[in-house]
C-alpha cells in the first residue's frame, strides 16, 4: 500500500492490482499467514480508495497452481526443498503479471519488496532483517528493468509509520509468513494429502536403520525435530537430516558436524548484476537460503553450472534452494543448488 502511495505521489500513473491466487479463497486469514484471502483483497481495495487510484483483481489462480503449488509438490517428491516465494516472484509477479501489464501499456510492476534497484541493479535493503533481495535474485535483467521497489531505502518500521500517517488501515496488519497456500502451516500434512503415505527407512551414515517415516517428502536437510527415530545416537546427541534419497525413499540422519559442507554445485544460473557472466573465478559472497547466513566464496562458471567453493563451512544446505551471489550488497546473479559436498 505504501509502495503504491509513494509511486502515485512521485507522479506515476498507478493502478492497484490484487492477485487472486486461490480458486477457493478463504474469507479470512488464518493467523498471520497468507496474503490471498477475500479479506486481503478488501484491504487492498480500501487502500487503493485512500490513495485515490484505480483497483482491479486479476485472477492468476490457474497459473499459480501450475507454476508454484505443483512445482512445490513435485520438488519435494524429488527430494529437493523448494522456495515457493522465490518461485512466485519469478513466475507470477514478474512474469505472468508483468507480461499482462506490458500488454496493457504499463511500464513496470511496483511491489512492496524490501530491496533496492540502482540503475536497474538489485541490491540489499538497509533493513537487514527484512531484506528480500534473496527471493528476487532469480529475476532476469529484463524483468528488473520493468520493476520498481519504492520501499527500497526504508525500514519496515518506517513504512508502517508512514502507512499510519497516510491513513492506510493496513499499517498494523501482520506480515504474511511461511507458505501462503498452506494456511495452517502444516507442510507435511499438505504434502501427504497430495503425495499419499509412502513408508520408508531412516538410516544413519553407516546405513543402519534407526527409524521409519511415512514419506521422505516430509523432511528437509538440516531438520532436527520430528524425526521419529527409534534408536537414539550412541553419544546421546541430537541427529539431523543429512540427505533425502527419493528413489529408495530413504532419509539419512547424523550428527550436526556431518551437515557441514565446503562446496556447493549449482545449475541454471541467472546473471542479472552490473557485469556480465563471470568467465574467470570470482571472489564474492553467497546466501544459500532466505534469511540465512552469508558466506565468502569463490565461484567458477562452467556452462550451465556454477561451482561454489565456500571460505567457511555452511550447514543445512538443501538442494532446490537458491544460491544468490553478491558483491558487497549488490546482487550479481543466482543459481539453483543441485548438490552440497
Amino acid at each position: 500500500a505504501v509502495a503504491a502511495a509513494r509511486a502515485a505521489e512521485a507522479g506515476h500513473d498507478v493502478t492497484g492490482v490484487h492477485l487472486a491466487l486461490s480458486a477457493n479463497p478463504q474469507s479470512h486469514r488464518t493467523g498471520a499467514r497468507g496474503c490471498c484471502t477475500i479479506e486481503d483483497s478488501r484491504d487492498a481495495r480500501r487502500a487503493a480508495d485512500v490513495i485515490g487510484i484505480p483497483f482491479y483483481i486479476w485472477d492468476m489462480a490457474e497459473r499459480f497452481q501450475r507454476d508454484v503449488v505443483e512445482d512445490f509438490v513435485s520438488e519435494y517428491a524429488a527430494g529437493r526443498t523448494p522456495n515457493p516465494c522465490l518461485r512466485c516472484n519469478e513466475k507470477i509477479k514478474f512474469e505472468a503479471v508483468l507480461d499482462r501489464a506490458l500488454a496493457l501499456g504499463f511500464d513496470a510492476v511496483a511491489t512492496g519488496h524490501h530491496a533496492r534497484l540502482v540503475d536497474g541493479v538489485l541490491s540489499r535493503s538497509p533493513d537487514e532483517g527484512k531484506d528480500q533481495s534473496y527471493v528476487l535474485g532469480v529475476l532476469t535483467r529484463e524483468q528488473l528493468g520493468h520493476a520498481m521497489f519504492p520501499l527500497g531505502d526504508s525500514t519496515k518500521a518506517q513504512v508502517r509509520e508512514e502507512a499510519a500517517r497516510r491513513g492506510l488501515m493496513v499499517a498494523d496488519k501482520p506480515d504474511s509468513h511461511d507458505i501462503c497456500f498452506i494456511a495452517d502451516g502444516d507442510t507435511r500434512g499438505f504434502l501427504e494429502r497430495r503425495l499419499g503415505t509412502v513408508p520408508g527407512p531412516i538410516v544413519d551414515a553407516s546405513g543402519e536403520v534407526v527409524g521409519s517415516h511415512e514419506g521422505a517428502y516430509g523432511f528437509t536437510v538440516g531438520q532436527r525435530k520430528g524425526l521419529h527415530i527409534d534408536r537414539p545416537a550412541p553419544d546421546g546427541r541430537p541427529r539431523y537430516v543429512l540427505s533425502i534419497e527419493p528413489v529408495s525413499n530413504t532419509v539419512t540422519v547424523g550428527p550436526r558436524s556431518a551437515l557441514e559442507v565446503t562446496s556447493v554445485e549449482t545449475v541454471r544460473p541467472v546473471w542479472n548484476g552490473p557485469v556480465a557472466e563471470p568467465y574467470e573465478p570470482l571472489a564474492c559472497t553467497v546466501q544459500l537460503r532466505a534469511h540465512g547466513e552469508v558466506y565468502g566464496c569463490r565461484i567458477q562458471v562452467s556452462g550451465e553450472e556454477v561451482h561454489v567453493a565456500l571460505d567457511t563451512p555452511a550447514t543445512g544446505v538443501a538442494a532446490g534452494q537458491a544460491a544468490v551471489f553478491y558483491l558487497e550488497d549488490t546482487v550479481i546473479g543466482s543459481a539453483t543448488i543441485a548438490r552440497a559436498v
Side-chain angles (χ1 to χ4, degrees), residues 13-317:
D13 182 6
V14 179
T15 294
V17 173
H18 174 78
L19 302 182
L21 301 180
S22 172
N24 297 290
Q26 297 183 17
S27 296
H28 297 282
R29 284 176 287 112
T30 302
R33 303 176 194 275
C35 52
C36 314
T37 64
I38 294 173
E39 180 184 352
D40 293 312
S41 69
R42 289 169 179 165
D43 287 344
R45 186 181 298 277
R46 283 191 290 265
D49 288 343
V50 171
I51 299 166
I53 59 174
F55 176 80
Y56 296 92
I57 295 176
W58 285 3
D59 183 356
M60 294 280 176
E62 185 176 335
R63 182 75 180 264
F64 183 79
Q65 177 69 27
R66 184 184 75 228
D67 289 347
V68 179
V69 179
E70 291 179 9
D71 173 81
F72 178 84
V73 174
S74 63
E75 284 291 283
Y76 265 105
R80 296 184 288 268
T81 305
N83 185 316
C85 295
L86 185 149
R87 192 68 65 238
C88 183
N89 287 328
E90 176 189 14
K91 296 294 186 180
I92 304 300
K93 293 172 185 172
F94 294 97
E95 186 172 299
V97 173
L98 179 58
D99 287 349
R100 184 181 294 186
L102 294 176
L104 290 171
F106 293 98
D107 300 307
V109 169
T111 69
H113 285 99
H114 281 268
R116 292 183 296 128
L117 271 177
V118 182
D119 296 327
V121 176
L122 183 64
S123 297
R124 290 193 184 277
S125 163
D127 191 336
E128 293 183 6
K130 294 294 183 181
D131 173 58
Q132 292 175 293
S133 61
Y134 173 87
V135 294
L136 296 166
V138 295
L139 302 184
T140 65
R141 284 194 182 96
E142 183 179 5
Q143 289 170 322
L144 289 172
H146 292 286
M148 291 173 58
F149 305 128
L151 309 185
D153 293 320
S154 302
T155 66
K156 188 75 171 187
Q158 290 170 335
V159 171
R160 287 193 179 280
E161 290 173 4
E162 182 176 334
R165 289 198 308 272
R166 291 181 179 274
L168 298 167
M169 293 177 63
V170 292
D172 297 321
K173 184 173 180 174
D175 290 347
S176 60
H177 65 93
D178 293 329
I179 301 169
C180 68
F181 53 85
I182 305 179
D184 60 3
D186 182 8
T187 300
R188 182 177 295 189
F190 174 86
L191 291 169
E192 184 175 339
R193 288 191 293 274
R194 282 153 180 78
L195 296 172
T197 299
V198 189
I202 299 175
V203 304
D204 62 17
S206 69
E208 182 179 357
V209 176
V210 296
S212 62
H213 63 77
E214 297 300 312
Y217 52 74
F219 300 86
T220 187
V221 172
Q223 180 178 332
R224 180 174 72 87
K225 297 181 179 180
L227 301 187
H228 306 297
I229 293 175
D230 301 326
R231 301 177 62 181
D235 60 8
R237 294 183 178 180
R239 283 168 162 152
Y240 297 79
V241 174
L242 304 182
S243 65
I244 302 158
E245 173 48 60
V247 175
S248 62
N249 197 30
T250 300
V251 176
T252 301
V253 299
R256 180 176 174 81
S257 59
L259 281 171
E260 293 187 346
V261 301
T262 55
S263 65
V264 181
E265 305 298 333
T266 67
V267 295
R268 299 188 298 278
V270 174
W271 304 107
N272 53 16
V275 296
E277 174 183 330
Y279 292 99
E280 300 294 330
L282 176 67
C284 60
T285 58
V286 63
Q287 186 171 329
L288 300 170
R289 60 196 311 159
H291 308 298
E293 291 185 51
V294 176
Y295 299 89
C297 68
R298 181 172 291 271
I299 61 175
Q300 174 71 61
V301 181
S302 177
E304 285 298 298
E305 300 178 356
V306 182
H307 173 75
V308 185
L310 300 173
D311 294 347
T312 56
T315 59
V317 180

